[in-house]
PDB file of all heavy atoms in Angstrom:
ATOM      1  N   ASP Q 133      -8.878  17.271  21.835  1.00 90.00           N
ATOM      2  CA  ASP Q 133      -9.952  16.985  22.777  1.00 90.00           C
ATOM      3  C   ASP Q 133     -11.126  17.925  22.504  1.00 90.00           C
ATOM      4  O   ASP Q 133     -10.948  19.093  22.180  1.00 90.00           O
ATOM      5  CB  ASP Q 133      -9.403  17.189  24.194  1.00 90.00           C
ATOM      6  CG  ASP Q 133     -10.345  16.733  25.275  1.00 90.00           C
ATOM      7  OD1 ASP Q 133     -11.512  16.460  24.978  1.00 90.00           O
ATOM      8  OD2 ASP Q 133      -9.906  16.664  26.438  1.00 90.00           O
ATOM      9  N   TYR Q 169      -2.070   9.852  23.559  1.00 96.00           N
ATOM     10  CA  TYR Q 169      -2.331   9.505  24.950  1.00 96.00           C
ATOM     11  C   TYR Q 169      -2.407   7.989  25.136  1.00 96.00           C
ATOM     12  O   TYR Q 169      -2.547   7.234  24.170  1.00 96.00           O
ATOM     13  CB  TYR Q 169      -3.652  10.121  25.413  1.00 96.00           C
ATOM     14  CG  TYR Q 169      -3.738  11.620  25.301  1.00 96.00           C
ATOM     15  CD1 TYR Q 169      -4.977  12.264  25.231  1.00 96.00           C
ATOM     16  CD2 TYR Q 169      -2.593  12.426  25.250  1.00 96.00           C
ATOM     17  CE1 TYR Q 169      -5.069  13.644  25.122  1.00 96.00           C
ATOM     18  CE2 TYR Q 169      -2.680  13.800  25.152  1.00 96.00           C
ATOM     19  CZ  TYR Q 169      -3.927  14.407  25.080  1.00 96.00           C
ATOM     20  OH  TYR Q 169      -4.020  15.766  24.971  1.00 96.00           O
ATOM     21  N   ILE Q 297      15.166   6.659  25.400  1.00 98.00           N
ATOM     22  CA  ILE Q 297      16.159   6.273  26.412  1.00 98.00           C
ATOM     23  C   ILE Q 297      16.219   4.757  26.550  1.00 98.00           C
ATOM     24  O   ILE Q 297      17.304   4.153  26.514  1.00 98.00           O
ATOM     25  CB  ILE Q 297      15.821   6.907  27.770  1.00 98.00           C
ATOM     26  CG1 ILE Q 297      16.028   8.420  27.733  1.00 98.00           C
ATOM     27  CG2 ILE Q 297      16.681   6.288  28.888  1.00 98.00           C
ATOM     28  CD1 ILE Q 297      15.520   9.136  28.976  1.00 98.00           C
ATOM     29  N   GLU Q 310       0.994   9.002  35.783  1.00 97.00           N
ATOM     30  CA  GLU Q 310       0.261   7.735  35.912  1.00 97.00           C
ATOM     31  C   GLU Q 310       0.550   6.796  34.747  1.00 97.00           C
ATOM     32  O   GLU Q 310       0.741   5.587  34.925  1.00 97.00           O
ATOM     33  CB  GLU Q 310      -1.238   8.021  36.003  1.00 97.00           C
ATOM     34  CG  GLU Q 310      -2.108   6.789  36.198  1.00 97.00           C
ATOM     35  CD  GLU Q 310      -1.948   6.144  37.560  1.00 97.00           C
ATOM     36  OE1 GLU Q 310      -1.473   6.833  38.495  1.00 97.00           O
ATOM     37  OE2 GLU Q 310      -2.278   4.952  37.696  1.00 97.00           O
ATOM     38  N   TYR Q 334      21.169   7.578  44.945  1.00 97.00           N
ATOM     39  CA  TYR Q 334      21.262   6.156  45.271  1.00 97.00           C
ATOM     40  C   TYR Q 334      21.772   5.345  44.075  1.00 97.00           C
ATOM     41  O   TYR Q 334      22.720   4.552  44.193  1.00 97.00           O
ATOM     42  CB  TYR Q 334      19.900   5.620  45.709  1.00 97.00           C
ATOM     43  CG  TYR Q 334      19.868   4.119  45.863  1.00 97.00           C
ATOM     44  CD1 TYR Q 334      20.370   3.510  47.023  1.00 97.00           C
ATOM     45  CD2 TYR Q 334      19.373   3.299  44.850  1.00 97.00           C
ATOM     46  CE1 TYR Q 334      20.364   2.131  47.156  1.00 97.00           C
ATOM     47  CE2 TYR Q 334      19.361   1.928  44.987  1.00 97.00           C
ATOM     48  CZ  TYR Q 334      19.862   1.345  46.139  1.00 97.00           C
ATOM     49  OH  TYR Q 334      19.865  -0.021  46.269  1.00 97.00           O
ATOM     50  N   ASP Q 377       4.398 -12.242  12.277  1.00 94.00           N
ATOM     51  CA  ASP Q 377       5.576 -12.213  13.144  1.00 94.00           C
ATOM     52  C   ASP Q 377       6.248 -10.843  13.088  1.00 94.00           C
ATOM     53  O   ASP Q 377       7.127 -10.589  12.260  1.00 94.00           O
ATOM     54  CB  ASP Q 377       6.559 -13.313  12.722  1.00 94.00           C
ATOM     55  CG  ASP Q 377       7.673 -13.519  13.750  1.00 94.00           C
ATOM     56  OD1 ASP Q 377       7.753 -12.719  14.702  1.00 94.00           O
ATOM     57  OD2 ASP Q 377       8.445 -14.479  13.595  1.00 94.00           O
TER      58      ASP Q 377
END
Side-chain angles (χ1 to χ4, degrees):
D133 189 348
Y169 302 157
I297 291 172
E310 182 69 20
Y334 171 80
D377 191 353

